[in-house]
Amino acid sequence: GCTLYGLLIAKVTSIVAMTETENRVLAERLDDVAKYVHKKKFPPQLQRRLLNYYRKFLKRATFLDESRILRDLSSGLRNDVMKHLITTDVQKGPFFSALGTNVVGLVPILHFQCLERGQYVTRRGEPAGELVVLLAGSAVILDESDASIRAGHGEPAHPLYKLGPGATVGERCVLGLDTSFNQTTRALTNCDINVLYADEFAKVVKSGML
């Protein structure tokens, strides 16, 4: 009984210490961001948006150097870990499912980001060189056919297609077939996304990992 109690106390103490460390790192990162926005003299509203973004981002992102951890693993263990990191929803998407088991080679170059509700994921005609993967939340492809949108006034109002976790936007851009987005997409909720940049994707392809 005493031994079990001692182990339990040790476990709880370890968890508390880890939580305190994570909170301290989070506070330090947020303090760095606060100093940055103050030094650059951003307007108050933009300061709040930046700080709110980083609060959400840092709570979801890992503080560890994931690339270094993956490099240190044996090839077999590395593949198993990367398979776990590619969610089932993402694997079902047409772009990633076409890669088969080679999809694990993309894990080190998938960049995590957060989007606010109402924020544009893509804008039709804007220069682009990336693929966006929706991890959590929902977005919508919008209809820009009315005259006010074509003239550059107002916002698209007519949804064409709703997107959920696993959906991808910008496949042709990341493959180098298009240099701009061909559709406008907006977040319906707060969203978590991964971004795959064309230049990094090309390097992985050339390395023979895909």
Side-chain angles (χ1 to χ4, degrees):
C2 293
T3 301
L4 180 59
Y5 178 75
L7 290 173
L8 179 60
I9 292 298
K11 183 67 174 179
V12 170
T13 301
S14 176
I15 293 173
V16 170
M18 185 179 299
T19 302
E20 289 177 346
T21 299
E22 291 177 350
N23 288 337
R24 184 174 67 254
V25 173
L26 175 61
E28 290 173 353
R29 294 282 293 274
L30 285 174
D31 185 57
D32 288 340
V33 175
K35 290 176 181 176
Y36 169 77
V37 299
H38 178 72
K39 184 176 181 179
K40 296 298 182 180
K41 298 180 180 179
F42 290 116
Q45 184 177 5
L46 187 54
Q47 288 186 30
R48 286 193 295 271
R49 286 185 62 195
L50 276 167
L51 290 171
N52 287 336
Y53 173 85
Y54 269 99
R55 286 191 187 96
K56 295 174 184 176
F57 174 80
L58 292 173
K59 286 180 180 179
R60 290 171 173 78
T62 176
F63 294 112
L64 301 174
D65 186 344
E66 191 169 70
S67 295
R68 188 184 69 181
I69 292 174
L70 293 173
R71 284 197 303 269
D72 291 340
L73 302 178
S74 63
S75 59
L77 181 56
R78 184 187 306 116
N79 282 336
D80 288 341
V81 168
M82 290 196 294
K83 286 176 184 177
H84 170 75
L85 293 174
I86 294 285
T87 67
T88 302
D89 284 332
V90 170
Q91 290 185 57
K92 288 179 180 176
F95 180 85
F96 291 101
S97 62
L99 297 175
T101 56
N102 292 327
V103 69
V104 298
L106 298 179
V107 170
I109 58 171
L110 291 174
H111 302 277
F112 178 79
Q113 295 179 13
C114 298
L115 294 178
E116 297 175 335
R117 178 178 179 271
Q119 186 175 346
Y120 284 99
V121 184
T122 63
R123 294 293 296 269
R124 181 182 176 86
E126 285 191 348
E130 69 264 22
L131 169 76
V132 179
V133 187
L134 186 60
L135 301 177
S138 60
V140 65
I141 297 174
L142 297 167
D143 180 7
E144 296 182 282
S145 60
D146 65 85
S148 64
I149 298 305
R150 291 199 303 273
H153 305 295
E155 290 192 0
H158 307 292
L160 291 178
Y161 191 73
K162 188 175 180 180
L163 305 175
T168 54
V169 181
E171 293 90 341
R172 291 180 59 84
C173 296
V174 80
L175 293 172
L177 302 175
D178 287 339
T179 57
S180 61
F181 289 118
N182 58 17
Q183 60 193 17
T184 295
T185 315
R186 190 166 59 197
L188 288 176
T189 65
N190 291 338
C191 296
D192 293 345
I193 63 172
N194 270 339
V195 179
L196 175 64
Y197 294 103
D199 57 341
E200 294 181 328
F201 178 69
K203 289 178 182 178
V204 171
V205 172
K206 289 179 181 179
S207 72
M209 293 179 65
L210 296 180

